[in-house]
Amino acid sequence: MDSRVINSRATTTGRVGMKFWRRPLDTDKIKIPHGELHIIWERCKGCGFCVEYCPKEVLELSTEFNAKGYHPPVAVKEEECINCGLCEELCPEFAIFPVLKEEPEEAEEVKK
Amino acid sequence: MSTVEIVEVRGKVEKEHPMEKLLRMDRIPHIWCPTCGIGTAVKAFATALEQLEIDYNNVAVVSGIGCTGRVAGYMKLDSFHTTHGRAVPFAVGLAIAKPKMKVVVFSGDGDLISIGGNHFIHTARRNVDITVICVNNFIYAMTGGQVAPTTPILANSSTTPYGTFEYPFNLPLLAASSGAVYVARWTALHVRRLTNAFAEALQKRGFSFVEVIAPCSTLYARRNKLGDGLNLMKFYHDNSIIKHGADPREVDIGFQEKIVVGKFVDIEKPTYLDCLNDGYKRVFGDAYKVYGEEDE
Ligand code: SF4
Ligand code: SF4
C-alpha cells in the first residue's frame, strides 16, 4: 500500500478546503450554543482526554486532588463552552458532560 | 479544599450523567486504568444505542474474559460474562433462540481472536446475525501484558521482552474474508465516527464487525515506552488515515505506523437463519414452518 499517496491526497484536499473557506451568509443570525459543564469530581481519573481535545480549551487539570488521588479538570473558561459534547464522548469514566444553557433572549424570541 | 473554582465546580454536580441509565452504577467507577480507551468505546456504544432509540430490553451484551470483558458487567442491559473466548458461541445461541434480539459481543482482541478465534471465523462464515465489537489494544492486558495475536512486529510484551517477531492478524481482513457483511475500524479518538459505526453495525442484518483501536496505558504503552493513553490518542490523531472502502488486505498495522481507519465492507447477504429456513423449505416444502418470524 502506498501510504504516501494517501497522505498527499489528504493534505491537498485540506488545502483546497481552506481556499474556498468563506463566511457563511447567515453568520450574524446564527447563535452559538453555550453549555454548562458538570464534572463528577470523585469519578474522574484525570486522564486529560477532555482537557486535550476540547476545541475551545475550556478545561484545565486542577492542581487539587480528588479522593482517589487524581487531578480532575476544572472549567477555566466555562463561558466559552459551545456544548459540543466532545468531552462527554471521550471521557472513559462517564465523569463530565455539558448541558445546553438556555439563553434568556432566545426564550423571549420564542414568545414573540 | 480551598480554591473557589473547585468548590463551585463540585457544588454543581447535582445532575446525573446522561449515560447512567445504561450503566450499572453500583459498579462504577469501573476498574479500567486511567487513560485506558475501553471506557471511551463503551461511551460510544451507549451513545449509539441512545441514538437508535431501540428498546433496551431487546439488546444483549456478551463479553468474554479480559479488560474489555468487563463491559458486559457494566452495561445495564441483558448481559452475560462468559468464559475465556466463548463470548461468540454464547451470543450465537442467544441470537438463534431470540432472533428479534440485537445481540452484541463486546470483547477484546485476545479473547475474540486468539482464544475464541475459531468461533469468530465460523460465526462470520455462517453470517449469524450478531454484532461483534473488538477492542484491540494489541496485547493481553488483564493477564499481564503477554503477546497477543494482534501485537505488531517489534512491539514488546511480557512474553516477548526483545520485541515480537510473529506476524499479527489483520482483523478487518480476517472478518471480511471469513464472510462478515459489515467491517469497520476506528480508533478510540474517532468517537463520533465510532458511534456511527456502532449504530450502522447494530442495524445491519448479519455478522457485523467493528474493530476499535484503543490505548492500553498500563501494559502496552508503558512496556513500549510510548507514554500513557493520552500520548497514544495523540499518536492516533497524527497517524490515522481515513480511507473508506479500503481493501482489507492493505490495512494491517505495524508497530507505531500509520493506521488506516474507515468502513471497509458493507454488503448484503442472507443471514444464517435465512439460509436455514431456505434449506429446510427446500427439503420439507410447505410442511416446514419458517423459524424466527413469529413474535416470541
Ligand atoms: S476525560 Fe473524564 S476521566 Fe479524563 S480527565 Fe476528563 S473528566 Fe477526568
Ligand atoms: S491494563 Fe490496559 S486494557 Fe486493561 S484497563 Fe489497564 S489500560 Fe485498559
Side-chain angles (χ1 to χ4, degrees):
Chain A
M1 184 197 62
D2 195 348
S3 59
R4 270 169 319 163
V5 176
I6 305 160
N7 267 339
S8 63
R9 203 185 298 143
T11 355
T12 339
T13 11
R15 276 203 212 108
V16 172
M18 288 305 285
K19 206 158 94 192
F20 292 111
W21 188 260
R22 59 181 167 77
R23 232 175 104 94
L25 296 171
D26 52 356
T27 28
D28 43 333
K29 285 190 221 111
I30 298 258
K31 275 221 186 69
I32 299 168
H34 286 286
E36 184 186 64
L37 275 170
H38 294 261
I39 297 163
I40 303 171
W41 183 265
E42 297 300 351
R43 204 186 290 162
C44 165
K45 289 186 191 157
C47 69
F49 290 177
C50 56
V51 176
E52 177 71 24
Y53 293 105
C54 170
K56 292 299 218 178
E57 295 177 0
V58 169
L59 299 159
E60 235 172 55
L61 285 186
S62 157
T63 48
E64 306 272 341
F65 294 99
N66 66 8
K68 283 185 288 197
Y70 298 112
H71 296 289
V74 281
V76 283
K77 292 192 277 178
E78 192 173 355
E79 63 295 343
E80 290 195 22
C81 170
I82 47 167
N83 198 42
C84 71
L86 194 61
C87 54
E88 177 185 336
E89 290 303 316
L90 279 170
C91 176
E93 303 293 329
F94 317 99
I96 186 169
F97 59 98
V99 174
L100 185 67
K101 235 196 276 187
E102 292 298 333
E103 304 289 331
E105 319 97 293
E106 236 173 46
E108 265 167 41
E109 256 168 53
V110 175
K111 263 180 233 153
K112 277 178 215 163
Chain B
M1 302 270 158
S2 51
T3 59
V4 181
E5 268 167 8
I6 291 161
V7 174
E8 212 182 10
V9 173
R10 298 172 83 179
K12 259 195 334 207
V13 184
E14 71 287 322
K15 276 198 162 68
E16 61 172 34
H17 190 282
M19 280 307 132
E20 292 192 10
K21 56 182 179 299
L22 271 168
L23 297 171
R24 293 179 205 266
M25 289 313 293
D26 51 330
R27 294 176 159 223
I28 301 288
H30 52 61
I31 57 142
W32 297 313
C33 307
T35 75
C36 173
I38 300 172
T40 307
V42 173
K43 176 67 179 63
F45 178 63
T47 312
L49 283 182
E50 199 183 32
Q51 279 173 5
L52 287 179
E53 292 178 359
I54 38 181
D55 180 4
Y56 297 152
N57 291 325
N58 235 345
V59 185
V61 177
V62 185
S63 297
I65 300 298
C67 289
T68 320
R70 308 290 296 219
V71 172
Y74 293 129
M75 301 294 301
K76 204 198 255 168
L77 295 165
D78 283 342
S79 57
F80 197 78
H81 193 178
T82 67
T83 47
H84 212 342
R86 312 302 166 221
V88 170
F90 183 87
V92 169
L94 198 55
I96 292 172
K98 293 184 85 68
K100 299 258 156 64
M101 191 161 224
K102 294 226 176 287
V103 181
V104 182
V105 173
F106 208 129
S107 213
D109 49 321
D111 182 69
L112 280 171
I113 309 300
S114 177
I115 294 166
N118 243 321
H119 302 303
F120 179 84
I121 56 175
H122 288 287
T123 306
R125 170 180 66 80
R126 296 151 117 193
N127 197 21
V128 181
D129 188 9
I130 61 172
T131 297
V132 176
I133 297 170
C134 176
V135 176
N136 180 1
N137 49 20
F138 305 123
I139 209 157
Y140 275 100
M142 185 169 276
T143 47
Q146 292 86 351
V147 69
T150 43
T151 311
I153 294 187
L154 299 181
N156 180 301
S157 73
S158 62
T159 44
T160 57
Y162 305 108
T164 176
F165 42 77
E166 297 174 14
Y167 293 109
F169 265 134
N170 169 351
L171 301 188
L173 176 62
L174 182 69
S177 56
S178 306
V181 290
Y182 182 94
V183 178
R185 170 199 277 161
W186 295 103
T187 76
L189 182 65
H190 297 89
V191 257
R192 307 238 192 243
R193 296 176 198 261
L194 184 62
T195 306
N196 291 343
F198 286 159
E200 281 180 4
L202 279 163
Q203 284 169 299
K204 192 84 193 168
R205 281 188 86 242
F207 188 91
S208 46
F209 176 69
V210 182
E211 178 185 12
V212 189
I213 308 287
C216 165
S217 46
T218 304
L219 292 152
Y220 185 75
R222 191 154 69 184
R223 288 203 73 91
N224 286 289
K225 301 197 168 49
L226 302 172
D228 63 9
L230 183 57
N231 294 86
L232 279 180
M233 288 293 233
K234 290 179 189 162
F235 174 80
Y236 301 156
H237 180 266
D238 298 337
N239 292 282
S240 299
I241 302 167
I242 299 178
K243 208 178 164 208
H244 292 294
D247 186 340
R249 277 173 298 190
E250 294 175 356
V251 301
D252 33 19
I253 302 178
F255 180 60
Q256 292 300 93
E257 281 175 14
K258 298 276 178 212
I259 302 174
V260 180
V261 295
K263 179 164 84 177
F264 305 135
V265 177
D266 191 354
I267 53 169
E268 302 293 334
K269 202 163 82 173
T271 66
Y272 174 74
L273 278 186
D274 297 342
C275 298
L276 176 137
N277 282 325
D278 285 354
Y280 281 135
K281 237 189 281 169
R282 203 165 49 231
V283 181
F284 300 114
D286 293 338
Y288 178 69
K289 187 167 165 285
V290 175
Y291 175 73
E293 305 270 275
E294 76 285 2
D295 285 326
E296 294 137 20

